[in-house]
Amino acid sequence: MTEIGNRELKEIDLIIFKIMGVVLGIDIEQISQIREPDHVEAEDVNIFAFHQKIPFRENKVLYKSPKILFIKDEWPASGIIIDQPEEIISIKTGSIQPLPQLIKKFNRSTPIWGVVPRGEEIILLIDLCRLLKSKTGT
Amino acid sequence: MGDVNRQTDVKKNVAADEKRVELVIFSLLEDYYAFIGSDIKEILPVGTITYVPGSPDFILGIINVRGDIESVFDIHKFLGLPDVKIVQESRIAIADKDDVRSAILVDSVEDVINVPANSIKPPISTLDKSIQEFVVGETTYNKKNVTVFDVGKIFEKLTGRTK
């Protein structure tokens, strides 16, 4: 089988959630656990809200039912606050497209590593490691 | 010999007269503008635009065009014009020039016309400085002035690339 054929067949599982209506996906391989914010002791953990790492145009970003995703193999433990995950889906890696060049040009250090069209929706794929390493805004 | 030269000149003039350009006439606020037709691959009604966090204001997001993902930019914001709401007449023009491709949101597409190339005159010197660098010329449509944009120059500015 050709390399392209293999790439088409390979699948990844994504945890899907929305923030301010934007559909986002993170590879579950990058996640160690999902916790309720109330159940996390603030000591010895680095927690950031999603919008602190990647700015939204809205001044106020609302999380209706916040959860914390913890990244695998990170010490001290680091997590990102997201809204309630909606589902876990499997996608073929062949269906992943790069961000258009104009978007990349203005988002050089973006943690968005690809996009997946799904019907009317477009899922933005987030690299959790890169997201957590992004500069923290307000 | 003189007749032959005259005939060649006539042929050249006819050829020059026959050179035609397709223009996609669109509106922004109250004014008409145009793109060169060969730079526009498709004109679409406005569907769902997915916002991409972290993008500058003039990038509205991305759209899914039959499985292909295209960026969408707001030419109002890019040119420093006042914002307008997306309405039923709003259209998305997919532009492709010099290996750069993006969708551009305009208020409406009025017409696609075929005009003699020589009907496009150099831009007037009083043209707003903020758009001067993107303009190739001017023509008229329905007795209104039409400013003709070079998409390549807009893309050059956006990407920082020069030809």
Side-chain angles (χ1 to χ4, degrees), chain A residues 22-24 50 54-58 97-103 105-108 110 112 115-124, chain B residues 48 50-64 67-73 99-102 155 158-161:
Chain A
V22 181
V23 186
L24 302 149
F50 191 90
I54 177 167
F56 281 65
R57 62 182 157 210
E58 292 87 355
Q97 295 187 37
L99 274 174
Q101 67 185 121
L102 268 193
I103 305 273
K105 153 85 187 163
F106 292 101
N107 296 266
R108 281 191 196 283
T110 182
I112 303 167
V115 294
V116 182
R118 187 173 67 155
E120 279 285 292
E121 283 179 344
I122 299 174
I123 304 167
L124 307 183
Chain B
T48 307
T50 300
Y51 170 63
V52 178
S55 300
D57 272 358
F58 59 84
I59 298 209
L60 294 171
I62 50 179
I63 52 168
N64 178 1
D68 289 326
I69 304 298
E70 310 281 3
S71 53
V72 184
F73 83 90
D99 297 326
V100 184
R101 188 178 169 99
S102 183
F155 284 167
L158 280 170
T159 60
R161 266 173 29 183

Side-chain angles (χ1 to χ4, degrees), chain B residues 113-162:
Chain B
I113 57 170
N114 201 284
V115 296
N118 59 15
S119 72
I120 301 173
K121 308 292 181 204
I124 51 168
S125 57
T126 53
L127 194 68
D128 191 333
K129 283 210 161 39
S130 65
I131 67 168
Q132 235 169 41
E133 62 181 305
F134 313 116
V135 173
V136 279
E138 294 193 324
T139 187
T140 53
Y141 172 76
N142 281 352
K143 296 180 185 166
K144 279 186 82 171
N145 192 59
V146 177
T147 304
V148 183
F149 282 125
D150 179 342
V151 167
K153 289 182 177 173
I154 293 175
F155 284 167
E156 270 177 30
K157 180 82 174 185
L158 280 170
T159 60
R161 266 173 29 183
T162 47

Side-chain angles (χ1 to χ4, degrees), chain A residues 33-47 67-70 77 79:
Chain A
Q33 55 176 322
I34 302 172
R35 302 276 296 274
E36 296 278 348
D38 295 347
H39 300 165
V40 175
E41 294 291 329
E43 287 166 27
D44 298 329
V45 290
N46 295 319
I47 307 287
K67 298 283 179 289
I68 300 174
L69 294 185
F70 282 92

Side-chain angles (χ1 to χ4, degrees), chain A residues 8-86:
Chain A
E8 284 287 332
L9 288 173
K10 202 178 161 200
E11 287 194 349
I12 56 169
D13 294 325
L14 298 172
I15 190 161
I16 302 291
F17 55 98
K18 280 185 190 168
I19 296 180
M20 301 302 281
V22 181
V23 186
L24 302 149
I26 293 177
D27 185 348
I28 58 168
E29 290 290 320
Q30 291 192 299
I31 301 165
S32 66
Q33 55 176 322
I34 302 172
R35 302 276 296 274
E36 296 278 348
D38 295 347
H39 300 165
V40 175
E41 294 291 329
E43 287 166 27
D44 298 329
V45 290
N46 295 319
I47 307 287
F48 303 95
F50 191 90
H51 71 276
Q52 285 181 293
K53 291 293 188 180
I54 177 167
F56 281 65
R57 62 182 157 210
E58 292 87 355
N59 289 333
K60 266 194 175 169
V61 176
L62 300 173
Y63 300 83
K64 289 175 201 155
S65 179
K67 298 283 179 289
I68 300 174
L69 294 185
F70 282 92
I71 190 169
K72 256 184 194 170
D73 306 326
E74 184 88 348
W75 186 260
S78 295
I80 196 93
I81 299 171
I82 60 158
D83 225 335
Q84 171 76 46
E86 296 189 344

Side-chain angles (χ1 to χ4, degrees), chain B residues 51-127:
Chain B
Y51 170 63
V52 178
S55 300
D57 272 358
F58 59 84
I59 298 209
L60 294 171
I62 50 179
I63 52 168
N64 178 1
V65 183
R66 296 181 298 277
D68 289 326
I69 304 298
E70 310 281 3
S71 53
V72 184
F73 83 90
D74 182 347
I75 197 163
H76 293 90
K77 284 203 170 82
F78 177 72
L79 297 175
L81 300 172
D83 279 352
V84 290
K85 282 194 170 148
I86 293 174
V87 291
Q88 209 177 346
E89 291 75 31
S90 304
R91 289 290 180 272
I92 280 185
I94 311 259
D96 191 333
K97 183 87 185 274
D98 305 326
D99 297 326
V100 184
R101 188 178 169 99
S102 183
I104 303 170
L105 177 73
V106 297
D107 293 356
S108 69
V109 170
E110 297 296 318
D111 209 344
V112 179
I113 57 170
N114 201 284
V115 296
N118 59 15
S119 72
I120 301 173
K121 308 292 181 204
I124 51 168
S125 57
T126 53
L127 194 68

